[in-house]
Amino acid sequence: MPTGEIFRILAIDGGGYRGVYAAYILKRIEEEYGVDWLKKINLIAGTSTGAIIAAALACNVPASKILDFYKKYGQRIFKKRFLHWLGLFASRYDNKELENILKDLYGDERKLGQIDIPLVLPASDIRNGCVHVLKSSYDKEFYRDKNRLVYKAVLASCSAPTYFDPYDMDNYLLADGGLWANNPALIAAIEAKRRLSQNMDNLMILSIGTGEGRKFYSQDGHWWKKFLGWGFLTRWGRQKFIEMLFSLQSQTTNNMIGLLFEPSQILRINFKSDKTLKLDDPNEYNDLICLADKDFTYNSQRIQEFLD
């Protein structure tokens, strides 16, 4: 356990609609322990759907309202475009709908520089081929993001390739942060040490996932797929391929965090599934709630230890 003053980090994975799982766990924590996130947590990080949740908490939106966001708007966000299956020519969904909904959640004038708590939202700069991390103004050296609108920053982090178009923000062409930091726990820990001068031994990390699929591809398959080979539209599959990349990144970060910190410093809450976990299926709402409730109950003692 940490020996000095504890610095608590909340990190939330990407995972599309599966953010329901993380939102429900946070809602239960609020209900059971009366947590004020802005007082209890020292830094919040979230990628993609995790960015939606992280930014909302940083804006003092209760987790119950965040969960309602998924239930109310899931079908609207993931409403397929006409001829969406022609994925060679267009993204599967229109991010204008998501943009309008995010405006309602955060307000259309709130800026990252107006957020008091350290907030980290990974994105990907596909124009320059590099990482792009959107941050609140917790360091005097930060100037790029302070006037950026929160809803735009979140939308950039959510723009998963083939699902949504990249988001053009101040001449940066940004896509989903899950391409390199689907699990933002490591990024958050580095920020705590580098920018906030925290001792790594005193960090406590609550890392909430959105599910981990254990099966993506098989040796078996339809004869026509075998005949065509491993093309993007045959055996790789564009959606399955993206989902696998995000899953691998989350697992890699979790493994690295496990090597860097003592087990007592990390609480990872996640679930595994033998079926392919989709990013865009609002029909999974009740199943995700059931899984989250089970995992909250199982981890309740460790959650209380983290908070205390």
Side-chain angles (χ1 to χ4, degrees):
M1 293 292 291
T3 56
E5 184 175 352
I6 293 174
F7 186 94
R8 292 182 178 86
I9 292 172
L10 172 62
I12 308 163
D13 285 21
Y17 191 75
R18 303 198 310 268
V20 167
Y21 175 87
Y24 182 83
I25 287 174
L26 293 168
K27 172 179 175 289
R28 287 298 309 274
I29 292 174
E30 282 185 354
E31 292 173 344
E32 295 295 324
Y33 306 113
V35 171
D36 182 333
W37 298 106
L38 299 183
K39 292 180 179 179
K40 179 60 68 173
I41 301 298
N42 302 103
L43 185 152
I44 305 176
T47 302
S48 195
T49 197
I52 295 175
I53 299 169
L57 294 177
C59 292
N60 207 25
V61 177
S64 58
K65 185 175 179 179
I66 302 171
L67 184 62
D68 288 342
F69 166 90
Y70 286 94
K71 187 173 185 179
K72 183 177 181 180
Y73 296 117
Q75 296 288 350
R76 282 177 56 185
I77 293 170
F78 296 111
K79 182 180 180 181
K80 295 182 178 66
R81 286 173 160 175
F82 178 65
L83 296 181
H84 66 274
W85 50 272
L86 293 175
L88 291 175
F89 307 103
S91 299
R92 194 173 180 86
Y93 305 105
D94 185 354
N95 59 7
K96 286 296 182 183
E97 186 68 30
L98 177 57
E99 182 176 21
N100 291 329
I101 293 170
L102 292 176
K103 280 184 186 180
D104 291 338
L105 182 61
Y106 309 116
D108 58 3
E109 296 184 356
R110 189 188 295 268
K111 300 176 181 178
L112 285 174
Q114 297 173 320
I115 292 177
D116 295 327
I117 191 170
L119 174 66
V120 178
L121 308 174
S124 301
D125 179 353
I126 63 171
R127 179 168 285 150
N128 294 306
C130 61
V131 303
H132 192 99
V133 185
L134 297 143
K135 305 174 184 180
S136 57
S137 299
Y138 54 89
D139 189 304
K140 63 182 181 181
E141 295 181 1
F142 294 165
Y143 60 89
R144 185 195 64 195
D145 297 336
K146 64 181 181 179
N147 290 320
R148 286 180 165 177
L149 297 171
V150 174
Y151 79 86
K152 291 187 176 182
V154 171
L155 184 59
S157 184
C158 288
S159 297
T162 77
Y163 289 87
F164 297 102
D165 291 350
Y167 192 68
D168 197 334
M169 179 188 289
D170 304 328
N171 293 318
Y172 289 94
L173 191 60
L174 302 178
D176 200 301
L179 292 171
W180 66 279
N182 202 54
N183 177 345
L186 183 59
I187 309 302
I190 292 171
E191 283 294 296
K193 177 177 173 56
R194 173 69 177 85
R195 295 291 183 178
L196 298 170
S197 303
Q198 296 297 315
N199 188 324
M200 297 284 272
D201 293 336
N202 293 328
L203 301 186
M204 295 283 286
I205 303 171
L206 174 55
S207 174
I208 304 180
T210 59
E212 178 184 319
R214 289 186 287 199
K215 183 177 180 180
F216 287 92
Y217 297 99
S218 172
Q219 293 281 14
D220 300 322
H222 297 294
W223 68 267
W224 61 270
K225 286 189 176 183
K226 292 182 178 180
F227 176 77
L228 292 174
W230 284 86
F232 202 48
L233 296 181
T234 54
R235 300 190 75 176
W236 278 116
R238 65 182 184 119
Q239 286 183 275
K240 188 181 293 187
F241 183 69
I242 295 296
E243 290 159 5
M244 183 187 69
L245 289 181
F246 288 174
S247 179
L248 288 173
Q249 200 292 317
S250 287
Q251 293 176 54
T252 299
T253 294
N254 191 50
N255 291 340
M256 289 190 289
I257 285 285
L259 295 172
L260 288 171
F261 294 93
E262 296 296 325
S264 59
Q265 292 179 262
I266 310 164
L267 174 53
R268 174 71 169 171
I269 304 178
N270 201 15
F271 70 92
K272 295 185 178 182
S273 175
D274 289 328
K275 67 177 182 179
T276 300
L277 295 175
K278 296 182 178 180
L279 299 175
D280 58 350
D281 189 359
N283 295 319
E284 292 290 316
Y285 181 86
N286 289 330
D287 287 345
L288 291 165
I289 293 292
C290 184
L291 286 165
D293 194 74
K294 175 180 71 69
D295 290 342
F296 169 81
T297 302
Y298 179 80
N299 289 284
S300 58
Q301 182 175 345
R302 288 209 62 199
I303 292 171
Q304 189 165 13
E305 291 171 357
F306 172 86
L307 296 171
D308 293 340

